[in-house]
Amino acid sequence: MNEKEIAEVRRRFRQGKSNIRHVVGCYVNDQRQIVARFDQALDITGQEEADKFLAILRRTLSGTLGKNLIDISFSTAQVAGRAGDEHALLMALRDSKLQDEAAREEFFARAMEAIDLEGNYLILLTCDSYDVPGYGRDGQRLEDGSTDVYTSVLCSVCPVKATRPALSYFVFENAFRSREVDWLVAAPELGFLFPAFNDRCADLYAALYYTKDTAHSHSAFTDRIFAAPLPMPAAAQKETFDAILTESLGEACSCQVVQSVQEQLCGLIAAHKESGEAEPLALGRGEMSRMLEECGVDEARVEDFGRRFDEDFGAGAALPPKNLVDTKHLELRCPDVTIQVNPERGDLVETRVIDGVRYILIRAEEGVQVNGVEVHIARDE
């Protein structure tokens, strides 16, 4: 799914915008036992409670594509029912619009086997049928030009956390009293949308998976629910990419080369955003190698980088550049010093060896402060 398609589905999770009529789920305690099952109708629930349910579900479609939101693909054998029953279970939930009690219970059991959250949590499921509007040649939405009905299931897994004891003001008593410990539903840690909404219609060969923590994909959950491969977590992609650069370039991995790679990646991200291209930007071995060549890295080291790239990410892999670079910070770190620089002003930083000692030099003409105190740097006589 691309960002526009995700945004179109996410907008549905508001009152009056969707056909969501109820939310089903179960409440699981820290002993991995179901404390309660529920089927809550939103049309008879108070407006405030319904809004909160929809806000939680909507969060499962938030975050950065490629980091928090990850495309999952099913094989033809899975969809045809020749390999495992994971896809068949998801289809049973969707086709029955969550009314198949046996399918719900089987899903809850599988999810509880694999969810690795500590403490209590909620598993929420809801179903929506979207009469997808068409668009005219002028790009205007045709309210009566529906081309498809997109029926989907959304799952959110939310921690339930205890509040701390505290003093609280009770208005009607005009007094402060101790507030008892309560249990609050937190934002989802993981979840998914099935099927995916690709090319603005249902794609039964795909799902959109959500993880709040970009360093932890909850792979045990995806293995149990989808039995489909999951890309390396975004944080691990950056860590692996950094290690490949360091080890393959060796002494050629200079400050200037790393800055240049960052600037090129940031430039591609900015150009892609400005172009309005719907499809996510992803770079493979070839594009990465050409960047290093433009930085002046010799052919042997570029080839070593490419070999390591294929070994660690897989042949033919393409990575979102957003996962490889911080577009908001350029950080230089030593054991005792950390320097953060505007990524657009990397030209202010250089490395130099003076009298046999290595230095990081930062050009500072004006506005220099130390702990908030403006200081003056005297010119040499």
Side-chain angles (χ1 to χ4, degrees):
M1 291 177 65
N2 60 46
E3 292 181 354
K4 289 183 179 179
E5 291 163 344
I6 293 170
E8 184 173 352
V9 175
R10 186 170 56 236
R11 285 193 293 270
R12 303 270 309 158
F13 287 83
R14 299 183 186 278
Q15 289 201 68
K17 299 289 186 179
S18 70
N19 291 314
I20 297 174
R21 296 291 177 262
H22 63 125
V23 177
V24 302
C26 65
Y27 181 28
V28 183
N29 64 17
D30 57 359
Q31 302 299 314
R32 298 301 174 261
Q33 300 169 331
I34 295 181
V35 177
R37 295 173 177 81
F38 59 89
D39 184 343
Q40 192 151 340
L42 296 188
D43 51 357
I44 61 174
T45 300
Q47 181 175 349
E48 185 175 352
E49 286 76 14
D51 285 341
K52 284 181 167 52
F53 266 117
L54 293 173
I56 288 172
L57 295 166
R58 191 166 61 244
R59 289 285 293 273
T60 315
L61 296 172
S62 65
T64 303
L65 190 60
K67 285 188 175 182
N68 309 97
L69 296 168
I70 303 166
D71 289 315
I72 289 182
S73 298
F74 295 99
S75 67
T76 300
Q78 285 179 295
V79 176
R82 298 194 304 268
D85 62 351
E86 293 82 11
H87 189 273
L89 178 59
L90 295 174
M91 287 297 296
L93 293 171
R94 171 184 182 261
D95 291 345
S96 70
K97 297 186 178 180
L98 304 178
Q99 296 305 304
D100 186 333
E101 185 176 350
R104 290 203 314 259
E105 289 301 312
E106 178 62 22
F107 176 81
F108 292 150
R110 294 186 185 189
M112 289 166 55
E113 289 175 14
I115 291 172
D116 56 1
L117 300 180
E118 295 183 0
N120 302 358
Y121 60 84
L122 277 180
I123 302 175
L124 301 177
L125 289 171
T126 195
C127 184
D128 181 33
S129 291
Y130 177 28
D131 201 13
V132 183
Y135 287 86
R137 293 184 178 181
D138 59 357
Q140 295 297 314
R141 177 168 170 161
L142 304 175
E143 296 297 340
D144 58 348
S146 174
T147 58
D148 190 24
V149 175
Y150 169 62
T151 301
S152 62
V153 170
L154 186 101
C155 171
S156 298
V157 180
C158 308
V160 179
K161 301 180 179 180
T163 60
R164 294 182 179 180
L167 280 177
S168 182
Y169 179 63
F170 289 75
V171 177
F172 297 108
E173 298 180 27
N174 190 29
F176 286 89
R177 299 189 183 282
S178 177
R179 185 187 66 189
E180 297 181 358
V181 174
D182 203 354
W183 295 88
L184 301 179
V185 179
E189 285 287 335
L190 63 149
F192 65 86
L193 175 74
F194 174 82
F197 187 58
N198 288 327
D199 297 325
R200 302 189 66 244
C201 62
D203 182 354
L204 300 180
Y205 284 79
L208 184 69
Y209 177 66
Y210 168 80
T211 176
K212 181 180 178 182
D213 185 353
T214 58
H216 182 26
S217 296
H218 303 278
S219 57
F221 178 83
T222 57
D223 288 345
R224 190 70 183 93
I225 300 302
F226 306 115
L230 193 67
M232 184 185 294
Q237 287 182 15
K238 176 168 174 41
E239 183 179 340
T240 303
F241 179 74
D242 293 347
I244 293 173
L245 270 182
T246 302
E247 295 170 14
S248 60
L249 269 58
E251 294 180 356
C253 192
S254 65
C255 181
Q256 288 72 26
V257 168
V258 174
Q259 281 182 248
S260 179
V261 169
Q262 166 141 344
E263 289 170 2
Q264 291 183 67
L265 290 173
C266 289
L268 288 171
I269 293 170
H272 182 265
K273 182 177 181 180
E274 186 175 345
S275 72
E277 177 65 36
E279 293 304 313
L281 177 64
L283 305 178
R285 167 184 174 171
E287 293 91 344
M288 298 290 187
S289 296
R290 282 192 289 273
M291 285 185 189
L292 296 179
E293 291 171 354
E294 293 178 9
C295 297
V297 178
D298 65 74
E299 184 178 347
R301 286 191 169 96
V302 172
E303 289 181 357
D304 188 39
F305 169 85
R307 178 182 58 79
R308 289 286 308 276
F309 186 93
D310 285 346
E311 288 177 356
D312 290 1
F313 292 115
L319 308 177
K322 286 183 179 181
N323 295 359
L324 308 179
V325 65
D326 188 338
T327 59
K328 298 181 180 179
H329 299 95
L330 173 62
E331 183 178 277
L332 296 89
R333 184 184 295 273
C334 298
D336 300 312
V337 178
T338 299
I339 304 167
Q340 289 192 345
V341 183
N342 182 336
E344 297 180 358
R345 294 309 313 271
D347 59 297
L348 297 176
V349 182
E350 63 176 298
T351 56
R352 192 182 300 177
V353 178
I354 304 175
D355 297 331
V357 181
R358 298 181 180 90
Y359 288 91
I360 298 173
L361 303 181
I362 302 175
R363 190 167 73 251
E365 298 296 338
E366 58 184 14
V368 180
Q369 295 184 353
V370 177
N371 287 342
V373 179
E374 191 164 337
V375 298
H376 176 69
I377 301 177
R379 296 184 180 273
D380 292 338
E381 295 287 338

